[in-house]
Amino acid sequence: MSESSAKTPLVPSSTSRKLPDFKQSIKLKYVKLGYHILITHGMYLCLTPLVAVSAAQLSTFSLRDLYVLWDHLRFNLIFVIVCSTLLVFLSTVYFLTRPHPVYLLNFSCYKPENDRKCTRQIFMERSRLEGSFNEDSLGFQQKILERSGLGESTYLPEAVLRVPPNPCMAEARKEAEAVMFGAIDELLAKTSVKPKDIGILVVNCSLFNPTPSLSAMIVNHYKLRGNITSYNLGGMGCSAGLISIDLAKDLLQVHPSTYALVVSMENITLNWYFGNDKSMLLSNCLFRMGGAAILLSNKSSDRRRSKYQLLHTVRTHKGADDKCFTCVTQKEDPNQKIGVSLSKDLMAVAGDALKTNITTLGPLVLPMSEQFLFFATLIGRKLLKMKIKPYIPDFKMAFEHFCIHAGGRAVLDELEKNLQLSDWHMEPSRMTLYRFGNTSSSSLWYELAYSEAKGRIKKGDRTWQIAFGSGFKCNSAVWKALRTISPAKEKNPWMDEIQNFPVQVARVAVI
């Protein structure tokens, strides 16, 4: 035996033996996937032996056994009648009290004319020419624009772009008519629904509430029927679009066999701020022109041609708290200029409202595996006083698509972090903010249109729409796709340029 062989130990020393790295040898995501499948299908796994035993027992039944059972029932006629009556009664109660399904036939988003486009450079030029802003305010607006996540193709109404600006009631009505009628015309063409067939109308616009109302303007323009149930929601912020959906859903439960038209928009013409309060200048930098129209139905015959079914709506209102109530406020500045003031507490308030909302939504949508982990850590922290981090449920197991209100880059960054979403999940929201800006309550529909234009929506996919608004409110809606959406058959504001997206949005885009 050679000298080198003699020096080699037959049994490796303890220092040379190393345990395999668990994280390297096993993909933890597959462990979690296995756990998810085990818990989600645990009930079925437990019932399988019971079903097998029952099947084996039934297989031993003979014709003689069935005759004995029938003979036994014949002499217990009262028992059979009572059981049958109870079964019929309970079935009737179930079918009469269960909520009627609500279907989304289609929706449309308004795309303004090209001459309404406002680059960031044009925005700054018009602001300087207007003459109301001092150098400090102009520098602040430029700084916000450079970090806002908005691109060079967002839209502003003619009255704001004009030099000098012309904010008046006539121009505000002109903007409202262009947005509402443009979206509704396209929607009616898509669905082939006649205006006279619409039984419910819900319009939301927070800051522009003329007389006659916006809903009355639609009734007049389209000659809707005289007994239409119409609502005009004002002052409810960027989450008002989902409030309108929730209201329409409730109305469809009591008005059988009808259509509900929901129109979501905001009006900029009369709500442009011409002062120098920085908390009010933010809205000038972020809000842009846009609107959406959505057609809902409770007719079972419409299921086959509808795009989505509404599964859940969850509304959270934090207005009882003074800090939440005052974080978004329309008021006058010291120089009597009216604007919308955004508080520094806005992000903290939004986070608290989101936490409350998802606590309610979670049990409705999350698989049992995620709910078990959430409640286990909650018990450990609250009851057992264990020093463990709170478990954030993985909402990617509940939803395939996320439409988060494009209120601004900071809002999207915070939700991406808190909900642990990927760039792919955030893409519709970020691209909507880049291309159209903050279009208030309608932004969620531009985001869903983006997912459709990209060919992402498959049959059975679930989409979570979540929005924040003054008050302070956080609202959610969950939709299930009833069919695969083919981009080739779609008409929406993204279709003629979707090949250019996504784009890389710089953290700071110098003007």
Side-chain angles (χ1 to χ4, degrees):
M1 188 179 291
S2 65
E3 184 179 353
S4 61
S5 299
K7 292 182 179 179
T8 304
L10 296 176
V11 180
S13 64
S14 60
T15 56
S16 64
R17 286 181 296 176
K18 293 183 178 179
L19 292 174
D21 187 341
F22 180 73
K23 290 185 178 181
Q24 294 295 328
S25 59
I26 299 178
K27 296 282 189 181
L28 288 180
K29 68 177 182 179
Y30 295 123
V31 174
K32 185 173 182 180
L33 180 61
Y35 159 77
H36 165 66
I37 294 173
L38 179 64
I39 297 297
T40 302
H41 301 285
M43 183 179 69
Y44 302 106
L45 295 174
C46 294
L47 288 177
T48 299
L50 181 61
V51 173
V53 171
S54 301
Q57 183 65 31
L58 289 173
S59 66
T60 62
F61 267 51
S62 63
L63 291 175
R64 174 67 181 172
D65 296 324
L66 294 174
Y67 176 77
V68 171
L69 178 62
W70 168 250
D71 197 47
H72 177 72
L73 292 175
R74 276 197 308 156
F75 292 102
N76 291 273
L77 186 60
I78 295 178
F79 175 76
V80 173
I81 292 175
V82 169
C83 289
S84 301
T85 304
L86 182 62
L87 180 62
V88 172
F89 174 74
L90 292 176
S91 300
T92 303
V93 170
Y94 169 75
F95 284 108
L96 289 178
T97 58
R98 67 172 183 168
H100 298 290
V102 174
Y103 304 112
L104 189 156
L105 269 71
N106 217 319
F107 67 96
S108 62
C109 301
Y110 175 68
K111 188 174 185 178
E113 301 294 331
N114 285 332
D115 56 1
R116 300 279 78 78
K117 281 187 179 180
C118 177
T119 66
R120 291 175 300 154
Q121 185 174 355
I122 290 176
F123 179 94
M124 292 306 304
E125 289 176 355
R126 296 294 192 275
S127 296
R128 288 184 183 279
L129 291 172
E130 199 281 325
S132 297
F133 306 108
N134 58 38
E135 286 301 319
D136 187 38
S137 295
L138 290 170
F140 176 78
Q141 291 183 79
Q142 180 169 332
K143 181 180 177 181
I144 294 298
L145 276 178
E146 292 175 343
R147 292 161 174 78
S148 65
L150 273 68
E152 301 287 11
S153 299
T154 59
Y155 302 93
L156 283 175
E158 180 184 358
V160 174
L161 288 175
R162 187 180 300 167
V163 181
N166 183 30
C168 63
M169 181 62 73
E171 289 293 333
R173 283 184 174 276
K174 182 179 177 182
E175 179 194 349
E177 290 173 354
V179 173
M180 294 191 304
F181 300 161
I184 295 173
D185 286 346
E186 183 178 300
L187 179 62
L188 295 179
K190 284 181 179 180
T191 59
S192 300
V193 170
K194 298 177 181 178
K196 291 289 186 182
D197 293 333
I198 297 172
I200 298 168
L201 172 65
V202 183
V203 182
N204 68 266
C205 182
S206 290
L207 299 177
F208 181 55
N209 294 285
T211 301
S213 66
L214 297 174
S215 59
M217 290 167 62
I218 294 174
V219 172
N220 175 261
H221 182 79
Y222 292 97
K223 308 305 177 187
L224 302 184
R225 62 198 202 195
N227 65 342
I228 190 169
T229 303
S230 66
Y231 292 86
N232 198 100
L233 307 182
M236 305 197 79
C238 299
S239 66
L242 295 186
I243 295 175
S244 298
I245 293 293
D246 183 62
L247 174 59
K249 179 195 74 172
D250 291 342
L251 292 170
L252 286 170
Q253 300 304 311
V254 295
H255 295 274
S257 190
T258 190
Y259 294 109
L261 174 63
V262 175
V263 180
S264 294
M265 61 164 292
E266 193 52 79
N267 189 283
I268 294 176
T269 297
L270 281 181
N271 297 288
W272 199 254
Y273 176 62
F274 294 99
N276 292 290
D277 188 318
K278 292 181 180 179
S279 68
M280 298 183 179
L281 286 170
L282 285 169
S283 59
N284 285 10
C285 299
L286 298 175
F287 283 89
R288 294 295 183 266
M289 190 177 178
I294 306 97
L295 191 65
L296 305 176
S297 171
N298 58 6
K299 300 180 182 180
S300 57
S301 58
D302 281 328
R303 177 184 174 88
R304 195 164 54 89
R305 70 187 187 113
S306 296
K307 282 186 172 182
Y308 305 94
Q309 180 177 347
L310 181 61
L311 299 182
H312 306 287
T313 54
V314 175
R315 293 170 56 179
T316 300
H317 204 307
K318 308 292 287 186
D321 185 293
D322 289 343
K323 185 172 72 172
C324 298
F325 177 73
T326 57
C327 69
V328 180
T329 309
Q330 185 181 26
K331 61 182 183 180
E332 295 172 328
D333 68 8
N335 295 317
Q336 306 304 307
K337 299 290 181 67
I338 297 177
V340 177
S341 174
L342 305 180
S343 167
K344 293 180 179 179
D345 298 323
L346 180 59
M347 293 306 301
V349 167
D352 183 51
L354 173 65
K355 179 181 177 182
T356 305
N357 189 268
I358 64 177
T359 301
T360 306
L361 180 67
L364 300 175
V365 298
L366 286 170
M368 286 302 300
S369 57
E370 289 299 299
Q371 294 190 48
F372 177 77
L373 286 175
F374 175 77
F375 285 111
T377 55
L378 185 64
I379 292 172
R381 293 177 63 247
K382 299 297 184 180
L383 298 181
L384 305 179
K385 305 301 181 182
M386 298 171 63
K387 293 183 178 180
I388 54 177
K389 293 182 178 180
Y391 181 73
I392 300 176
D394 186 0
F395 279 92
K396 296 188 292 294
M397 287 190 171
F399 308 110
E400 286 73 32
H401 310 283
F402 296 80
C403 295
I404 301 169
H405 168 53
R409 170 174 266 161
V411 175
L412 298 181
D413 288 347
E414 196 66 24
L415 264 72
E416 178 181 10
K417 176 183 175 182
N418 289 337
L419 297 177
Q420 300 175 355
L421 302 179
S422 66
D423 291 341
W424 188 88
H425 291 114
M426 297 298 299
E427 187 180 309
S429 300
R430 293 196 185 280
M431 293 305 101
T432 295
L433 180 64
Y434 177 85
R435 178 62 182 84
F436 293 98
N438 181 351
T439 60
S440 190
S441 57
S442 66
S443 67
L444 300 173
W445 301 102
Y446 287 90
E447 294 163 17
L448 186 56
Y450 180 91
S451 295
E452 290 185 353
K454 279 291 184 181
R456 295 183 174 186
I457 306 296
K458 309 298 180 185
K459 183 177 180 179
D461 282 1
R462 295 152 299 177
T463 300
W464 180 17
Q465 291 181 323
I466 183 165
F468 304 90
S470 58
F472 188 84
K473 298 178 285 292
C474 176
N475 300 318
S476 293
V478 179
W479 304 89
K480 180 181 178 180
L482 298 178
R483 55 185 170 90
T484 298
I485 307 298
S486 172
K489 299 179 181 179
E490 286 303 306
K491 181 181 180 182
N492 71 43
W494 296 95
M495 293 311 303
D496 58 348
E497 53 186 299
I498 192 62
Q499 68 279 359
N500 301 327
F501 293 92
V503 299
Q504 188 68 35
V505 182
R507 298 298 301 180
V508 179
V510 178
I511 300 175

